[in-house]
Amino acid sequence: MSRSQELGGLAGHLDGFVRAVREAGIPVGISQAVDAAEILTVVDLLDREQLRHGLAAVLLQRGAQRPAYDVLFDLWWPLSDRPAADEASGEPDEDAQDGEPRQAGPGPDDAELAKLMRDQLFQLLLDGDEDEIRRFARRAVDRLGSGQPSPTGQSYFSYRVMRALSPDTLVAKLLAGLLAEGDRGGLNEQVARQTVRERVDAFKNAVETEVRRRTADEKGRERVAKNAVRPLADQIDFLRAQSTDLAELRRTVAPLARRLAVRLSARRKIGRQGRLDFRKTVRASLGTGGVPVVTHHRPRKVHKPELVVLCDVSGSVAGFSHFTLMLTQALREHFTGVRAFAFVDSTDEVTRFFRPGADVADAVQRIGREAQVVAFDGHSDYGTAFEVFADKYASAIGPKTSLLVLGDGRTNYRPAAVPLLASMVRRSRSAHWLNPEPQRQWGSGDSAADRYGEVIDMVECRNAAQLADFITTL
């Protein structure tokens, strides 16, 4: 193959990788793709880690994108199939076959092999050589991870390797090997425990990576990439968010809340001048023969933002409720007057639970215990909730107030009280409704979202990315 053909093949391979990164939700522009191609000319292509970090430097914008990027990089730029050189002779392992160094020991169906490889894993984790750990992971998947093909065609599985080697059970033995007799307890043991945990996790990740590589060889990289990459934090569906996603969601929501506070604060007019100050303008015109060459204006009054948040906290939108309360807590830090109200089939003010620095999880628990949000059966009743709000808290909405309603608009076939919501919208300065359901489901079943959308700006908001789009176009 000529040099030009080789570069052409590499360029096509890079193009496929960039496309996969873009499809994973990481925005990659044309200029970044060009920079990535330039990276290939300045890094050592035989050094995977140098190539990994070089491409990451030009393709990524946030640290949260790195896990998805690493998964795709390992699929498109897998660990070399070449056998490792023997440390003493510098030659490949004589027992290597098909790119995999052969282990001495009994056949792959014998428990003795698992015991032998477990002892080898212990020594590798004790030494901490990352390259050797990755190579061992490849051998472990080859020897211990194969099984009967699944209905999807996959024939290698990480759980078989973990079951055979049980790396988590080696922690105590590894600690004993890393710590001297007098180092137990205190900072030394904490550092050792962290080191052991990182090495065990590195081995697990290497096994997962190798299983994905082999599955990609069987089923194709593109197909595996779609299932292997977890959604980015800003693309996690609020209704399906897991507890492990909440910490990342908090980091994502905080800057969006700051932007929302600015957008909702005051109506911006072109220019920075206020209303015309007629008296000062006429007085200044005396020096130019009565011609108002220079006009004077009164200083613009800075509007102090006021916000009323009306949030559905019923069980059907539990994941979205946690997000909306995170948003409320973040907005409290930027708005001078934020009043938060929660409802299920009744409405209660919950502003008191969102003190500065308060934990959202604690606020959620307190709302469930102390707030009067359930009056009857605990199922969403938007009509009754709006009526209670209008009776008890009508004064919360005024001409300087922005109203933000958060919920799916599913009424359980109870009265929707659309005219009551319309009156609340008319009395407010601006009003928006963020709905966590796809727009195609509005109006289906017991959803009154289409009817509410006739009197209020109804916006689909299923993830943080859509929230960012809403704020941008507000």
Side-chain angles (χ1 to χ4, degrees):
M1 180 182 294
S2 66
R3 177 64 174 171
S4 61
Q5 288 176 323
E6 182 179 349
L7 290 175
L10 186 59
H13 188 76
L14 176 64
D15 179 66
F17 174 64
V18 171
R19 289 176 182 272
V21 171
R22 189 180 292 120
E23 290 173 0
I26 301 174
V28 178
I30 296 178
S31 61
Q32 292 168 294
V34 172
D35 291 340
E38 186 69 21
I39 287 292
L40 299 183
T41 66
V42 298
V43 302
D44 182 1
L45 297 180
L46 298 180
D47 188 335
R48 282 183 78 243
E49 294 310 304
Q50 186 179 137
L51 179 61
R52 181 196 300 270
H53 298 314
L55 291 176
V58 298
L59 295 179
L60 305 183
Q61 294 85 41
R62 303 195 311 271
Q65 299 167 347
R66 188 59 188 257
Y69 166 86
D70 283 335
V71 169
L72 294 172
F73 181 89
D74 289 328
L75 285 174
W76 260 259
W77 313 87
L79 191 66
S80 173
D81 288 326
R82 292 173 301 173
D86 182 79
E87 293 182 356
S89 63
E91 298 295 331
D93 187 349
E94 294 180 357
D95 291 330
Q97 181 178 357
D98 297 329
E100 294 292 345
R102 184 181 298 279
Q103 295 290 328
D109 58 346
D110 199 320
E112 293 270 338
L113 175 61
K115 182 178 183 304
L116 176 61
M117 296 192 74
R118 179 177 163 84
D119 293 339
Q120 293 174 348
L121 175 61
F122 167 75
Q123 189 60 48
L124 289 173
L125 294 177
L126 194 62
D127 296 339
D129 189 326
E130 294 182 2
D131 290 337
E132 288 300 324
I133 289 175
R134 283 195 290 267
R135 292 191 184 97
F136 178 82
R138 298 196 67 172
R139 297 195 297 270
V141 172
D142 182 59
R143 301 269 180 130
L144 304 171
S146 61
Q148 294 296 325
S150 67
T152 62
Q154 183 174 346
S155 57
Y156 285 90
F157 307 92
S158 59
Y159 76 89
R160 294 175 64 91
V161 179
M162 299 305 167
R163 185 176 60 189
L165 300 181
S166 302
D168 288 321
T169 62
L170 296 173
V171 171
K173 190 176 178 181
L174 288 168
L175 282 174
L178 291 176
L179 292 172
E181 287 296 330
D183 290 338
R184 286 288 182 177
L187 181 61
N188 288 336
E189 183 171 349
Q190 293 181 24
V191 172
R193 286 185 179 278
Q194 180 64 25
T195 300
V196 168
R197 180 52 55 194
E198 289 175 355
R199 292 178 184 178
V200 171
D201 289 342
F203 171 70
K204 291 180 178 179
N205 291 334
V207 170
E208 292 285 351
T209 299
E210 178 61 15
V211 169
R212 280 195 296 266
R213 183 188 74 84
R214 291 175 181 266
T215 305
D217 290 342
E218 297 172 349
K219 301 164 60 178
R221 278 192 299 257
E222 291 76 8
R223 184 176 177 184
V224 173
K226 291 180 180 179
N227 299 323
V229 178
R230 294 185 70 253
L232 300 179
D234 60 354
Q235 297 174 340
I236 296 174
D237 195 319
F238 293 134
L239 292 179
R240 295 174 175 81
Q242 305 295 321
S243 58
T244 54
D245 302 321
L246 295 180
E248 187 60 39
L249 274 177
R250 288 191 185 97
R251 288 190 289 270
T252 304
V253 165
L256 294 179
R258 288 194 293 270
R259 289 172 55 190
L260 184 59
V262 172
R263 297 283 182 172
L264 293 177
S265 61
R267 181 176 298 171
R268 304 297 180 183
K269 295 182 180 179
I270 298 176
R272 293 177 294 175
Q273 296 177 334
R275 300 179 64 180
L276 177 69
D277 190 326
F278 185 76
R279 179 176 297 179
K280 287 186 177 181
T281 301
V282 171
R283 186 178 300 155
S285 69
L286 297 178
T288 56
V291 179
V293 176
V294 179
T295 59
H296 292 264
H297 300 261
R298 296 188 179 95
R300 292 190 62 188
K301 294 183 179 179
V302 179
H303 172 69
K304 292 183 178 180
E306 298 176 3
L307 180 67
V308 168
V309 180
L310 195 54
C311 173
D312 181 0
V313 294
S314 61
S316 61
V317 289
F320 185 62
S321 300
H322 199 106
F323 152 74
T324 56
L325 296 177
M326 283 194 295
L327 179 63
T328 301
Q329 172 72 354
L331 289 172
R332 283 270 295 167
E333 300 176 1
H334 306 289
F335 276 64
T336 56
V338 175
R339 297 185 67 179
F341 300 86
F343 67 89
V344 177
D345 57 9
S346 184
T347 304
D348 192 14
E349 183 167 7
V350 295
T351 310
R352 60 189 183 277
F353 302 126
F354 295 98
R355 300 184 307 276
D359 181 66
V360 175
D362 180 62
V364 171
Q365 293 178 358
R366 291 191 62 192
I367 289 174
R369 293 194 309 265
E370 304 175 29
Q372 302 299 317
V373 295
V374 176
F376 302 104
D377 57 2
H379 293 90
S380 297
D381 187 343
Y382 279 74
T384 301
F386 289 155
E387 290 175 358
V388 173
F389 180 86
D391 290 340
K392 299 175 61 176
Y393 309 107
S395 60
I397 298 179
K400 293 183 179 181
T401 304
S402 294
L403 174 63
L404 189 62
V405 183
L406 308 166
D408 59 3
R410 292 198 172 271
T411 64
N412 289 294
Y413 301 101
R414 295 168 178 174
V418 175
L420 193 55
L421 175 64
S423 68
M424 294 161 55
V425 171
R426 285 193 299 270
R427 288 188 287 113
S428 64
R429 179 174 165 271
S430 62
H432 307 278
W433 185 315
L434 303 185
N435 192 322
E437 286 195 337
Q439 187 170 353
R440 64 179 181 276
Q441 296 181 8
W442 297 356
S444 64
D446 62 342
S447 173
D450 56 338
R451 296 162 58 194
Y452 289 133
E454 297 175 357
V455 299
I456 191 172
D457 179 25
M458 181 78 65
V459 180
E460 179 183 307
C461 186
R462 293 185 291 113
N463 51 51
Q466 290 186 333
L467 175 62
D469 293 338
F470 161 70
I471 294 172
T472 301
T473 58
L474 190 61

